[in-house]
Amino acid sequence: YGVGGSQIYTPMGYTADKLEPTAGMAAIQTTSPSFRNWCGLMSLRNEVSSFTGPAYANRLRVTLRQLQRQYDDVFLVTEPPLINMTTGAISDNLVPSTNNFAALRIAASEVCAELGVTFVDCWSKAVWEWKQGVDLRDRTVDGTHPNDAGYRMIADLVFAAMTATPL
C-alpha cells in the first residue's frame, strides 16, 4: 500500500514472475532467500492534494520506519505521470518549483536516502522516456492507471532496484 492508499499488487506480481516465472509472489516470499521478507510501497499521486513536501516527508518517515521494523527490505515506488490520452503529453506540471508532485518526489527521495530505503522513481523514468519520444499512452488505460505494459515498466524498475541491475 502507499502512504495514501495506493496499491502495488500488480507490479509486485510481475516482479515476482520475473524472479520465479512459474511460482509467483508467494513462492518468492517463502523460498527465495534474497527476497524473503520485503515490502514495496507505492506512493505520491494520492498524497499530492493533501500534503506539503515537509508534511509528507514526516508521515513517510514514520511509515517507513515502522515497515523497516517488520521487513528485511523496504522500497518506495513513485507512480508514473498522468498522461493526456488525446495528445499523449504528460499532464503533470513539469516545473518543480510549481509542482507539488515534484516536491513530494524530492521529499520521498530524501527520506529514502536518510533511512536506507530503496527509491524507485517511475515518474522520472517515464518523463525521460516521453522526452525521448515514447508514447506513454501505450502504458495506461485512462491516463492515470497502468495497463499491462505500464505495470511491466514499473515491475522492471522495481526488479532492477531489488537486484541492483541498472536499466
Side-chain angles (χ1 to χ4, degrees):
Y1 295 97
V3 172
S6 305
Q7 294 184 359
I8 192 167
Y9 293 123
T10 305
M12 292 304 93
Y14 281 121
T15 303
D17 288 344
K18 194 168 187 172
L19 293 168
E20 292 190 16
T22 61
M25 192 160 86
I28 288 173
Q29 291 175 329
T30 58
T31 64
S32 295
S34 58
F35 299 107
R36 177 169 290 141
N37 193 18
W38 47 267
C39 178
L41 207 69
M42 182 170 261
S43 187
L44 294 181
R45 178 72 53 212
N46 292 337
E47 293 78 24
V48 167
S49 60
S50 304
F51 296 100
T52 62
Y56 174 72
N58 289 335
R59 185 169 178 184
L60 181 63
R61 190 175 289 108
V62 169
T63 301
L64 292 174
R65 283 183 178 146
Q66 289 173 347
L67 291 172
Q68 285 178 311
R69 287 194 279 279
Q70 298 174 39
Y71 298 95
D72 295 332
D73 191 14
V74 177
F75 54 94
L76 176 72
V77 181
T78 65
E79 295 169 271
L82 296 175
I83 307 301
N84 180 312
M85 293 301 283
T86 303
T87 66
I90 290 179
S91 297
D92 288 333
N93 179 349
L94 298 178
V95 180
S97 62
T98 60
N99 178 351
N100 197 41
F101 192 91
L104 298 187
R105 203 174 87 259
I106 291 166
S109 174
E110 291 171 353
V111 169
C112 287
E114 169 192 329
L115 299 178
V117 169
T118 301
F119 182 68
V120 182
D121 194 355
C122 293
W123 191 88
S124 293
K125 173 73 171 174
V127 169
W128 181 84
E129 289 180 341
W130 175 72
K131 288 179 178 180
Q132 304 307 308
V134 173
D135 189 347
L136 298 177
R137 290 176 290 188
D138 295 339
R139 296 190 186 151
T140 180
V141 293
D142 58 6
T144 302
H145 301 95
N147 59 18
D148 281 349
Y151 282 127
R152 285 187 200 285
M153 186 265 312
I154 295 168
D156 286 345
L157 291 172
V158 169
F159 180 79
M162 291 173 73
T163 60
T165 306
L167 284 179

